[in-house]
Amino acid sequence: MSDDQTPELATAVQRLSFMPISERLRRQKDLGELLVIAHAAVKAEAGHDVAVLIQEKDGTAMAHHEAGRLTRIMGAGRLRVWDTTTILRRAARSDSLPDRTAMKAVYEQMRGLDLALPPIAETGLLDDRLWKSGNKTP
């Protein structure tokens, strides 16, 4: 998506960062997360359903806040916020992640590449309720 300063994108960036887009674009810290959320908000406000994948803690919180705001706007689409844990939870007991051993191996490999991932013990990805047969993947 283009980061051209459209009025809609500028409004979203201003709302999310409390500063004009021209100023915010000069600050690189967390700029990627901000622009992903701003673009998603613009699309959702136009009536589209959008999903964003964000792992960074502050960005995830911002995206959830924006998703809540959008639920109160008549005619807006839905903004879904996913993170790595959400995706892995949905993949539990699939052919790709059939058991806890496979989950732990994949997660530890991913964690080696992404310092934002918490230790697997803090994620619920090894919890009994996720791995009980008969339970639907949350």
Side-chain angles (χ1 to χ4, degrees):
M1 300 186 94
S2 171
D3 292 331
D4 291 342
Q5 296 182 31
T6 65
E8 296 83 6
L9 186 62
T11 298
V13 169
Q14 171 78 38
R15 180 180 60 254
L16 294 165
S17 68
F18 307 104
M19 66 179 69
I21 190 171
S22 57
E23 183 180 336
R24 184 58 181 95
L25 289 175
R26 291 192 297 265
R27 298 181 184 197
Q28 293 300 304
K29 184 171 177 6
D30 301 327
L31 183 59
E33 289 91 351
L34 172 67
L35 290 173
V36 164
I37 297 163
H39 279 294
V42 169
K43 286 292 221 184
E45 285 175 345
H48 300 275
D49 288 340
V50 183
V52 294
L53 174 63
I54 298 179
Q55 186 59 44
E56 193 272 328
K57 185 178 181 179
D58 292 339
T60 301
M62 180 188 295
H64 279 295
H65 184 268
E66 190 67 1
R69 183 187 73 81
L70 289 162
T71 63
R72 296 183 295 275
I73 297 175
M74 184 68 85
R78 182 174 173 195
L79 174 58
R80 295 181 187 153
V81 183
W82 296 345
D83 61 14
T84 302
T85 304
T86 303
I87 293 169
L88 291 173
R89 188 172 290 116
R90 289 177 185 246
R93 296 186 328 266
S94 69
D95 291 342
S96 299
L97 294 171
D99 54 37
R100 286 183 178 103
T101 302
M103 177 68 79
K104 188 171 184 178
V106 166
Y107 190 86
E108 292 306 321
Q109 184 178 13
M110 292 173 70
R111 191 161 186 250
L113 301 171
D114 186 350
L115 298 176
L117 291 175
I120 195 167
E122 297 175 11
T123 65
L125 291 173
L126 301 177
D127 291 357
D128 286 342
R129 71 181 202 284
L130 182 61
W131 294 100
K132 276 187 176 176
S133 62
N135 282 352
K136 285 189 166 188
T137 303

